[in-house]
Amino acid sequence: MSFADNLVYIRQHYGVTQEALAEQLGVSRQTISKWEANINFPETDKLLMLCDLYNTNLDDLMRGSVRIANVHDTELYDVHMNRHSKAIAAIPFFVLLGVGLLIMLDASGFPSNLSTVVMFFFIIIATVIGIVSGLGHTEFKRKHAGIDPRYETDVLDRFGRRFTTMIAIGVGLILLDVIALIGFSPEHGDIVDLGFTTFHFDLFMGPFLFVLAIAVYILVYAGMQKEKYDRSEITYIAKDGTVKPGDPRAKTAAELKRDHILGCICGAIMILAVIVFLVWGFLPSLGDFASSGFDKFELKEYIRNGHGGFAVSWIAFPVGGLLCAVVCVIGSALFKTNDELIAEARKENPWVKVEGEEPAAGGRADPK
């Protein structure tokens, strides 16, 4: 492809008009038109500005194919993000799987110390997956700092339909799981009597957590895929009034600081969730409480009946996740600028009007 072909592709790819590109480069629209017609070529400083603005290199822009480079970026990014999404979704899946096995093994009379080892085996798997995937994701971003994936409209439309389906399936599984839990919960004691058979209620908690693990996997994977297609991690920093074209929207230093603060708060919440999980889980195994007036075995039975142990302490993780969601919702609302609030209001309701602005094309001004 020639420089002219590459320039036309860049404009169409990013949805930029000749007038907008001319304004970004500090030239006239006629100059852009002459470049695209192969009548003349830009100076070196303008070429470098084009490369910076549209994340390409000089060789691809002048002698190669920007289209092929962008397709390669998208394929590379897509493969990596699919793998990363599955890994992140697998972390809560294995944690819930381990807790479910712990409860079932305890109810089956399996030695509690061995059932705890089984649970921690799955937690170790989740931890290793998280570390490997997190470090790999960081390394991928470092190696491909200038990557600029772009998805076609039909691909985004297909994902939009899949995303809705995945969210509906995940939420539906959780609701069915909760209904089954309520239905099988015995009114008295721990024995479930179905008429033709009886079983300990904790044996049902295992399948309950397995289904919950599948539902959480689907929801987390769907969220990660949405971030992939939104390219949420690719951020352009607005500096000196210069804003990168296209999406995702550039962020100011204040917005980056807001994201960092919210991320730190959520990180602290999840660390506390881990502490609660471990302390509350190991509490039944501690014999030091006998000196406080509790018999060790009475304390273990007290906790086993719903007041502690790993069979209960896993609740710290979903509670921590919900608290993080609450912090992000409240925090983002508190830190949003007026322009951001107006933009979001318009996105939710296109009929929102700002006082003093001109009516949209084809519309008419409100009567006085």
Side-chain angles (χ1 to χ4, degrees):
M1 294 177 67
S2 65
F3 166 75
D5 293 332
N6 281 325
L7 184 59
V8 171
Y9 168 77
I10 284 175
R11 273 204 315 102
Q12 295 174 346
H13 188 64
Y14 285 90
V16 180
T17 63
Q18 288 186 343
E19 290 82 358
L21 181 59
E23 184 178 351
Q24 291 166 359
L25 297 177
V27 297
S28 67
R29 188 198 64 78
Q30 289 77 13
T31 300
I32 300 296
S33 180
K34 290 179 180 179
W35 292 350
E36 293 184 355
N38 252 335
I39 296 176
N40 55 27
F41 294 93
E43 298 176 352
T44 303
D45 61 331
K46 302 302 181 185
L47 290 172
L48 295 176
M49 288 178 66
L50 274 170
C51 292
D52 289 339
L53 280 170
Y54 295 99
N55 300 297
T56 187
N57 59 64
L58 197 58
D59 190 56
D60 285 337
L61 183 63
M62 297 300 297
R63 299 185 299 174
S65 172
V66 177
R67 181 192 301 273
I68 293 176
N70 281 349
V71 169
H72 177 262
D73 276 0
T74 303
E75 292 176 347
L76 192 67
Y77 171 83
D78 194 74
V79 170
H80 168 75
M81 289 302 295
N82 285 341
R83 184 168 56 245
H84 183 59
S85 298
K86 293 174 182 176
I88 297 302
I91 295 174
F93 175 82
F94 280 111
V95 171
L96 291 172
L97 196 64
V99 173
L101 285 174
L102 167 72
I103 296 175
M104 289 185 67
L105 291 175
D106 277 349
S108 302
F110 207 70
S112 60
N113 58 329
L114 295 181
S115 59
T116 302
V117 169
V118 171
M119 181 203 65
F120 272 104
F121 173 76
F122 283 92
I123 291 179
I124 290 172
I125 293 177
T127 303
V128 171
I129 290 175
I131 293 174
V132 172
S133 180
L135 293 177
H137 186 54
T138 301
E139 182 65 13
F140 178 85
K141 291 193 290 185
R142 186 189 67 80
K143 286 184 177 180
H144 306 282
I147 199 168
D148 187 33
R150 293 273 167 169
Y151 292 97
E152 300 295 335
T153 303
D154 59 334
V155 174
L156 296 176
D157 289 341
R158 285 198 301 271
F159 169 72
R161 293 190 292 270
R162 290 202 310 271
F163 178 75
T164 302
T165 302
M166 285 189 288
I167 295 298
I169 291 174
V171 173
L173 283 176
I174 292 176
L175 293 177
L176 289 174
D177 214 21
V178 172
I179 291 172
L181 179 66
I182 296 173
F184 282 105
S185 179
E187 294 184 3
H188 304 287
D190 296 322
I191 304 300
V192 178
D193 187 357
L194 298 179
F196 59 91
T197 185
T198 59
F199 60 89
H200 196 282
F201 179 67
D202 283 354
L203 289 175
F204 173 76
M205 286 296 295
F208 167 79
L209 287 174
F210 297 159
V211 175
L212 181 63
I214 295 173
V216 171
Y217 179 92
I218 294 173
L219 292 175
V220 174
Y221 180 75
M224 293 294 297
Q225 285 288 288
K226 189 174 189 311
E227 289 190 0
K228 179 191 79 171
Y229 286 105
D230 289 345
R231 298 171 300 146
S232 301
E233 293 189 65
I234 301 175
T235 303
Y236 296 130
I237 301 177
K239 186 177 181 181
D240 300 330
T242 302
V243 179
K244 297 286 185 178
D247 61 339
R249 180 181 57 82
K251 289 188 176 181
T252 63
E255 291 172 315
L256 292 174
K257 181 178 180 180
R258 175 193 66 193
D259 294 343
H260 180 69
I261 292 174
L262 294 178
C264 290
I265 294 175
C266 288
I269 289 175
M270 294 312 297
I271 290 174
L272 289 174
V274 173
I275 293 173
V276 171
F277 170 74
L278 293 175
V279 172
W280 201 2
F282 277 118
L283 192 60
S285 302
L286 302 178
D288 298 336
F289 292 91
S291 59
S292 62
F294 286 94
D295 181 80
K296 175 182 177 181
F297 296 101
E298 289 181 357
L299 179 62
K300 291 183 69 173
E301 187 62 27
Y302 171 79
I303 295 173
R304 188 184 297 276
N305 287 335
H307 300 281
F310 290 114
V312 179
S313 65
W314 63 272
I315 297 174
F317 291 116
V319 171
L322 291 173
L323 286 176
C324 285
V326 170
V327 167
C328 289
V329 170
I330 296 177
S332 60
L334 291 176
F335 287 115
K336 273 187 172 58
T337 63
N338 291 337
D339 290 339
E340 289 179 294
L341 293 173
I342 292 173
E344 287 193 1
R346 279 178 158 174
K347 185 176 180 181
E348 295 172 0
N349 181 6
W351 288 355
V352 169
K353 298 176 178 60
V354 179
E355 183 180 2
E357 72 175 0
E358 294 294 327
R364 61 185 179 83
D366 293 333
K368 297 295 183 181

